[in-house]
Amino acid sequence: MERLYGEVPFHRRHDLEVLAVTPERASVKLAFDPGLVGNPELGAVHGGVVSALVDLAGAAVFVGGREAFTPTIDLRVNYLEAAGREPLYATATVDRRGADIGVASVEVESGGAVCATGTGVYKLTDD
């Protein structure tokens, strides 16, 4: 898991840290960087960054078991409040793991508060 994620330039550039991966759960951390701010008046992290973190955490729970990337089929993100100047922590939990498709629910926290939730659907086969 760490080897695969470490090869991705986006992950390296933004110091994405995989905290834990089990067959049912994955946690990742994204440190705050002023270059990620999308609303300078609030100092809030850009929603696209939050969305990317939902996707990365959701995929991580399946990548760990496959030792291969899992293409995203669908991604839904609910923005609950602004993600501030704190590290972002995303935790993904498997909702369904079929032969071809996996579904994960994700919560993103900023400063101890849930700032976003989401659902990712991932392809688990190479065909």
Side-chain angles (χ1 to χ4, degrees), residues 32-34 36-47 79-86 110 115:
F32 176 79
D33 182 301
L36 301 177
V37 170
N39 183 332
E41 290 179 9
L42 294 176
V45 172
H46 192 284
Y79 302 98
L80 306 176
E81 63 179 61
R85 296 180 171 270
E86 302 285 335
S110 174
C115 63

Side-chain angles (χ1 to χ4, degrees), residues 27-119:
S27 299
V28 297
K29 175 185 174 185
L30 180 66
F32 176 79
D33 182 301
L36 301 177
V37 170
N39 183 332
E41 290 179 9
L42 294 176
V45 172
H46 192 284
V49 173
V50 175
S51 179
L53 190 59
V54 169
D55 190 26
L56 297 171
V61 75
F62 299 110
V63 168
R66 286 176 35 91
E67 296 185 17
F69 292 110
T70 55
T72 305
I73 296 170
D74 187 50
L75 185 67
R76 311 241 176 194
V77 180
N78 306 301
Y79 302 98
L80 306 176
E81 63 179 61
R85 296 180 171 270
E86 302 285 335
L88 297 176
Y89 294 90
T91 302
T93 305
V94 172
D95 292 334
R96 178 182 184 279
R97 184 189 312 265
D100 299 322
I101 304 291
V103 180
S105 294
V106 182
E107 273 194 358
V108 180
E109 292 185 12
S110 174
V114 176
C115 63
T117 61
T119 303

